[in-house]
Amino acid sequence: MNAVMTPRASDLTSSIRHQLFIDGQFVDAASGETLISVNPHDNSPIVAVAMAGHADIDRAVAAARRAFPRWSRMAAAERGRILLKVADLIEAHAEELARLESLDTGHPLRDSRRLDVPRTAACFRYFGGMADKFQGDTIPVEAGFLNYTLHEPVGIVGQVVPWNFPLMFTGWKMAPALAAGNCIVMKPAEITPLTSLRIAELMSIAGVPDGVVNIVPGLGAVAGQYIAEHPEIAKVSFTGSTATGRRIVNASAGNLKKVHLELGGKGPNIVFDDANLQAAVNGSAWAIFHNQGQACIAGSRLMLHERIADEFLDKFLPLARSIRLGNPLDEATEMGPLTSSQHRDRVLDYVGIAQAEGGQLLAGGQSPGGELAAGCYVEPTVVQAASFKDRVAQEEVFGPFVTVLPFKSDEEALQIANSTDYGLGSGLWTGGLQRAHKFARDLSAGMVWINSYKRVNPGSPFGGVGRSGYGREMGFEAMREYTNVKSVWVNVDAQIPAHFER
Ligand code: NAD
């Protein structure tokens, strides 16, 4: 008998935070409206969450404005100390956060425990340490003058987060913004707000002053759009679809906000004929099937050299078919449901699109029946496309759906890899040092993984080129995103300007 019991969703719901978090308080929306958060395992309701409208966002912005002078002028080391405390509290509540994330998103509990929660804590810890180390320069200008730079927080930052990694993205976006001295109005995705609200509460306990962090769950077209338009918000950082990214850029024009966009991807994952095949098979399954393929950096184009394609697929297809789908709260589950039923239907539509284009379905392609039929599940799906120009080789499916594309030469591999409008994650498997570096140079991408895929670290810049967006999360780059540089000139020798000398 299995000694580990799968917890019931109701065991987790009694203490869930479900109101807006504004000025250090949990409050209802001014309109009283709510949105139901749903468990994607069986589409049962979890909790009704307050839904922010314009009045609530104005209230959150006002609170952030009041908090800004104190937070931005606090010693950087002190801000850092508070963020380190946030990291400690996340670790102290790791199991609770992992379960809440799995309940709300469908991430398998083993992934929430092993990846989402530790990565969120690591991000707060990294930027806690960074707060007092991100410093300006002294520039050697002409004699008699001193020139130095100040990195100043931009002010009130709007952050709009998607539903695929809500907890982790809360850390990626908040930690650098706070380390740099900004105040935040964050909108989680309407379908996955629960862990962001809990993190806000832990931040309060850690000593983040009231008003510094405000969380306003709500609809994208209402709350998200208003954040992008808001005249008192100085910067908006967004992760999500390219279509919404465009809307945000348009909406931000009124006050010429700084904009950071982390958008979609169609990651090429290239396996050459000199690769360690077993490593490539396992790494390619991770590249696409982790988080049910709902990752902007997913390796969703599996490019195989024709000499090893059959041997690769002989190992990869049985592996894909053997992945254990199930309740995300069951410890044995390797793949959970997609995060919503609309999204499941959208992913399944691509199976028909592939077949209509002359593609061949090699594995999966449907929702499982039995006890998973009520949830948002999709089997690990492998499709061989007829052409690299087909929609399934060009459009982001954002699910456990990988498109196989064979190639004959390095030149053809590069042409196919760079044939989409996207440029986010990319990977290659090869034993050739020169080939590895050549592709690292020539791929149109923000990130390249060699004999690996989908590695992230709080110190390593994360972002894309082309329609995958601009700006970078993580590392020093993220601190630059959340600051303005001021150049200060001092006339040290008290020289009198000579231009109009009389
Ligand atoms: P989306 O871009 O519509 O939503 C992401 C976030 O943006 C959510 O918080 C949403 O409420 C908000 N939003 C929506 N409209 C907005 C607007 N007009 N102004 C401001 N904010 C707005 O994405 P989606 O509909 O949830 O997913 C659709 C597709 O987007 C996916 O299938 C996938 O291709 C892509 N996606 C990418 C990522 C990523 O990590 N890059 C994440 C989620 C979705």
Side-chain angles (χ1 to χ4, degrees), residues 181-361:
N182 299 282
C183 293
I184 294 172
V185 176
M186 170 179 277
K187 191 196 86 62
E190 40 275 64
I191 59 174
T192 56
L194 302 183
T195 44
S196 312
L197 291 168
R198 181 65 173 128
I199 289 283
E201 190 175 20
L202 294 179
M203 287 178 141
S204 216
I205 296 167
V208 174
D210 293 351
V212 171
V213 167
N214 304 277
I215 311 279
V216 285
L219 297 176
V222 179
Q225 180 79 19
Y226 191 53
I227 286 173
E229 287 166 3
H230 205 289
E232 291 176 77
I233 292 182
K235 174 189 165 94
V236 65
S237 176
F238 169 72
T239 299
S241 64
T242 300
T244 304
R246 258 190 219 106
R247 277 186 215 111
I248 286 185
V249 172
N250 288 333
S252 71
N255 68 335
L256 298 177
K257 278 182 189 63
K258 273 168 97 97
V259 180
H260 167 208
L261 299 176
E262 206 274 274
L263 307 176
K266 189 73 179 173
N269 176 35
I270 313 168
V271 185
F272 292 94
D273 57 352
D274 61 351
N276 173 336
L277 220 56
Q278 195 55 53
V281 166
N282 290 2
S284 301
W286 156 257
I288 184 63
F289 297 127
H290 163 237
N291 202 33
Q292 296 75 253
Q294 301 168 125
C296 46
I297 55 175
S300 53
R301 286 183 295 157
L302 178 55
M303 297 177 48
L304 303 176
H305 192 283
E306 61 173 9
R307 267 201 291 274
I308 50 88
D310 287 345
E311 193 187 344
F312 183 98
L313 289 173
D314 284 347
K315 294 177 193 292
F316 185 77
L317 295 176
L319 173 56
R321 293 189 190 107
S322 74
I323 293 174
R324 286 192 300 273
L325 264 68
N327 186 343
L329 294 175
D330 182 339
E331 318 221 353
T333 292
E334 293 176 321
M335 231 178 80
L338 301 192
T339 300
S340 70
S341 45
Q342 283 137 304
H343 189 57
R344 174 202 55 202
D345 295 346
R346 181 178 174 275
V347 170
L348 288 173
D349 282 348
Y350 273 98
V351 177
I353 292 170
Q355 287 169 326
E357 289 175 322
Q360 198 191 341
L361 183 62

Side-chain angles (χ1 to χ4, degrees), residues 8-21 26-28 35-40 44-50 95-105 190-201 217 329:
R8 284 163 304 153
S10 57
D11 296 341
L12 306 171
T13 51
S14 52
S15 61
I16 288 177
R17 289 299 186 179
H18 54 87
Q19 291 168 292
L20 314 180
F21 185 75
F26 283 102
V27 293
D28 288 329
L35 262 164
I36 306 291
S37 194
V38 169
N39 178 352
S44 60
I46 304 172
V47 67
V49 179
E95 187 59 18
E96 176 206 338
L97 286 166
R99 286 178 184 278
L100 192 56
E101 187 75 336
S102 289
L103 180 70
D104 205 17
T105 63
E190 40 275 64
I191 59 174
T192 56
L194 302 183
T195 44
S196 312
L197 291 168
R198 181 65 173 128
I199 289 283
E201 190 175 20
L329 294 175

